Each structure stands twice: as C-alpha cells, then as structure tokens.
Amino acid sequence: GMAHDQLTPVHVGGRVEIGGYLARLCSSLQHRKENVTIETDLAHAAMPHEKAVPLGLIVNELVTNAFKYAFPAGRAGKVRVGLVIEAGEGTLTVQDDGVGMGSPRVGSVGTKLIQVFVQQVGGTLEDIKPSAGVGFRVKFPLVR
C-alpha cells in the first residue's frame, strides 16, 4: 500500500518519474531504522506505472530485509539503492554492508515475491558479492 501511496505525487499521464518515486520510498523507509542509513543514487527516467510499482516493491522488500537481518543487535550500517539507465536498460541495485546472509530460509516468501516482481518488469535478478553484506541487481528493459 505504501508503494502505491508514494506514486500519487509523481504519477503524470500514466508514467512515473522513477528516480523521484524510489527516493521518496527510501525516505519513508529510512524512518524505520535509526542506526541504518539509506544512501541513494537514482537516475531520473519516466516509465509506465505498471513497471514502477513492481520496482518499488522490490526496493521495499530488499531494504526491509536488510533492516531485519543485516543489522542485528543495534548494529549500524548502510543500505545503498542505485538506479542506472543506459542504452534502453535499467539496472536497479540494492546492497547493504551488514553481517551477510546465511542459507535462505525454507519456504521464504520474500525471495519468491522478489522473483515475481522481477518477472513483472521483464528483468533478471542476480546476487552481488560485496566485500561485506548482501547485494542484488535487477536488470530490466525500459520498454517491453
């Protein structure tokens, strides 16, 4: 619901300015975890509403998971959310500098949801192996 609420101010003519949308979403998530900072580096591009919503839901799920699992016992850290637009393709990156990820939980709904949202944007999902923490990259066509 929050992802849809965030769309209202930036939704113009069936298209969404994705950089502003994701920045507002990250800003609203920031208030959930005092000791973790969300850093954003987001390109600006207009895209269809039906592609912006799943991208926002991917960011919401990955940032929320980082808050829940990457920074236990009050540990401080950063979550980085980036969006690059090049040659008709978008690359969304979400990465934290937390404790890393253990084995996926059996029956984890979050992973399945992310995969569904990635399919909705016609994209691919890959793990990033940062020096610390966990990262994911979603590549998707701007037009499909």
Side-chain angles (χ1 to χ4, degrees), residues 27-38 67 71 74-78:
S27 178
S28 68
L29 291 170
Q30 179 64 67
H31 300 291
R32 293 184 180 182
K33 193 86 165 174
E34 291 180 17
N35 57 331
V36 179
T37 303
I38 301 175
F67 283 178
F71 306 104
R75 178 186 167 135
K78 292 180 185 168

Side-chain angles (χ1 to χ4, degrees), residues 47 83-92 137-142:
M47 63 180 43
L83 178 65
V84 175
I85 307 290
E86 291 180 336
E89 182 174 80
T91 303
L92 173 69
R137 181 178 298 125
V138 177
K139 291 187 176 196
F140 58 95
L142 291 179

Side-chain angles (χ1 to χ4, degrees), residues 36-120:
V36 179
T37 303
I38 301 175
E39 295 179 350
T40 59
D41 184 10
L42 304 165
H44 295 279
M47 63 180 43
H49 179 268
E50 47 288 337
K51 190 169 276 198
V53 170
L55 285 173
L57 293 170
I58 291 167
V59 169
N60 184 69
E61 186 68 26
L62 292 174
V63 170
T64 300
N65 284 348
F67 283 178
K68 285 172 31 179
Y69 304 114
F71 306 104
R75 178 186 167 135
K78 292 180 185 168
V79 177
R80 291 175 191 85
V81 179
L83 178 65
V84 175
I85 307 290
E86 291 180 336
E89 182 174 80
T91 303
L92 173 69
T93 306
V94 180
Q95 175 174 334
D96 67 64
D97 63 359
V99 298
M101 189 164 97
S103 300
R105 293 187 339 255
V106 175
S108 171
V109 174
T111 303
K112 291 176 185 170
L113 279 174
I114 291 168
Q115 290 170 344
V116 167
F117 299 143
V118 169
Q119 287 175 348
Q120 288 177 359

Side-chain angles (χ1 to χ4, degrees), residues 127-139:
D127 292 343
I128 301 171
K129 304 293 184 207
S131 58
V134 174
F136 296 94
R137 181 178 298 125
V138 177
K139 291 187 176 196

